[in-house]
Amino acid sequence: MTLQDCAEDRKYRAPALEKGLDVLELLSAQAEPMTPSQMSATLGRSVSELFRMIQVLEFRGYIEQASGAYRLTNRLFTLGMSQAPIRSLVDVALPVMRDLATATSQSCHLVVPSGDQIVVIARVEGPGDLGYSVRIGYRRNIIEATSGLMFYGCATERTRVQLHQMLVKRYGVQKVKRFVTAAEAAALAGHVERPSDFVKGVTDLVAPIRGADGIIATLITPYIERMPPTCPMPEAVSRLREAAEIISTETSALSQA
């Protein structure tokens, strides 16, 4: 049964709510803010249809203006973070992340999947005056993120099939094929080392955090080469993998308690 069939068969409808959800889902998938005209063209709705929705979402703090365009705020992220499983994961991870940052003199991030995107849900800054990190709530398409390789490569078969369908529809067969090959290699290696495509001199180090149903998060160290070196990259990789394993074990134990 298609999504359209489900929409036709359902008993109750809420057109105004659906317009608002369309706006939120659209903005969540965009890397840049969108104007009402751009939203209108993409959603196939008139600007007048969306105007009231946009005003209400802005008033309630779900979206905000940026130079005449709109983007999501962190309100939805904050609501999601209040859920017990996410709170538990962050509570378990943060002490381990602090120890990792101290041992490696590097920052680290905790990342979870969200549809065909990844989102940063926690971070710990490295000690010292210099470091590199991204904000909590940062999102990126999974096919473009180093963490995405682990999420796909270590996913269950069912999740891989669903994700593969979404990615092919958006990016095409050839790009997804290259991504899948790299993801399978990452899963086999147990971690990823890849130069950042955002910042020169930064190498993304990523290790999986596993739960009862496969991978649930990744732990990332954006490794910066320091002079003189404080923690060689091979040691940082080893400590990262050890930290991810500790978080995996403690999270699984907590879920079974």
Side-chain angles (χ1 to χ4, degrees), residues 35-97:
T35 65
S37 295
Q38 290 172 323
M39 292 184 228
S40 170
T42 304
L43 295 174
R45 298 181 182 274
S46 68
V47 174
S48 60
E49 275 188 282
L50 298 178
F51 179 77
R52 184 176 296 178
M53 298 302 108
I54 292 171
Q55 294 300 306
V56 172
L57 290 171
E58 183 180 17
F59 176 75
R60 295 294 295 266
Y62 288 95
I63 64 176
E64 63 184 4
Q65 286 198 53
S67 301
Y70 290 88
R71 64 188 176 195
L72 288 181
T73 66
N74 277 340
R75 182 162 174 75
L76 281 174
F77 173 76
T78 302
L79 292 176
M81 287 288 290
S82 68
Q83 297 300 301
I86 296 296
R87 285 205 316 270
S88 297
L89 173 61
V90 173
D91 288 344
V92 167
L94 279 176
V96 182
M97 292 171 66

Side-chain angles (χ1 to χ4, degrees), residues 140-172:
R140 195 176 185 194
N141 293 325
I142 204 166
I143 199 171
E144 298 170 345
T146 307
S147 277
L149 298 174
M150 294 301 328
F151 282 125
Y152 189 96
C154 298
T156 62
E157 185 61 28
R158 180 180 178 183
T159 299
R160 287 181 64 152
V161 169
Q162 293 173 340
L163 188 54
H164 190 273
Q165 291 173 344
M166 285 191 291
L167 294 177
V168 167
K169 183 177 180 181
R170 184 167 184 180
Y171 297 101

Side-chain angles (χ1 to χ4, degrees), residues 84-93 246-257:
I86 296 296
R87 285 205 316 270
S88 297
L89 173 61
V90 173
D91 288 344
V92 167
I246 292 172
I247 297 170
S248 298
T249 301
E250 293 187 2
T251 300
S252 295
L254 193 63
S255 65
Q256 295 171 6

Side-chain angles (χ1 to χ4, degrees), residues 88-240:
S88 297
L89 173 61
V90 173
D91 288 344
V92 167
L94 279 176
V96 182
M97 292 171 66
R98 293 188 187 101
D99 290 343
L100 176 64
T102 299
T104 62
S105 298
Q106 306 280 344
S107 63
C108 57
H109 305 93
L110 183 66
V111 172
V112 296
S114 177
D116 64 349
Q117 297 182 324
I118 59 95
V119 57
V120 177
I121 64 170
R123 71 176 183 182
V124 173
E125 302 283 355
D129 297 328
L130 299 176
Y132 171 73
S133 64
V134 297
R135 63 177 175 80
I136 293 176
Y138 169 79
R139 289 177 174 268
R140 195 176 185 194
N141 293 325
I142 204 166
I143 199 171
E144 298 170 345
T146 307
S147 277
L149 298 174
M150 294 301 328
F151 282 125
Y152 189 96
C154 298
T156 62
E157 185 61 28
R158 180 180 178 183
T159 299
R160 287 181 64 152
V161 169
Q162 293 173 340
L163 188 54
H164 190 273
Q165 291 173 344
M166 285 191 291
L167 294 177
V168 167
K169 183 177 180 181
R170 184 167 184 180
Y171 297 101
V173 174
Q174 290 306 312
K175 185 171 182 177
V176 174
K177 184 177 180 180
R178 293 192 295 270
F179 170 75
V180 170
T181 299
E184 291 174 345
L188 188 62
H191 74 279
V192 184
E193 299 177 33
R194 190 170 76 168
S196 170
D197 54 3
F198 278 152
V199 181
K200 289 184 178 181
V202 173
T203 301
D204 292 331
L205 309 178
V206 183
I209 295 173
R210 305 176 190 271
D213 298 319
I215 186 169
I216 58 173
T218 59
L219 190 60
I220 304 176
T221 292
Y223 185 89
I224 298 176
E225 195 75 47
R226 295 175 180 267
M227 298 300 292
T230 54
C231 178
M233 190 181 299
E235 181 183 345
V237 169
S238 178
R239 289 183 179 276
L240 176 73

Side-chain angles (χ1 to χ4, degrees), residues 6-54:
C6 293
E8 292 173 352
D9 290 343
R10 64 187 176 180
K11 185 176 180 180
Y12 300 108
R13 296 174 184 272
L17 175 59
E18 290 179 353
K19 291 176 189 176
L21 293 174
D22 285 344
V23 171
L24 292 176
E25 290 175 357
L26 176 62
L27 292 179
S28 73
Q30 303 302 311
E32 301 293 334
M34 298 185 74
T35 65
S37 295
Q38 290 172 323
M39 292 184 228
S40 170
T42 304
L43 295 174
R45 298 181 182 274
S46 68
V47 174
S48 60
E49 275 188 282
L50 298 178
F51 179 77
R52 184 176 296 178
M53 298 302 108
I54 292 171

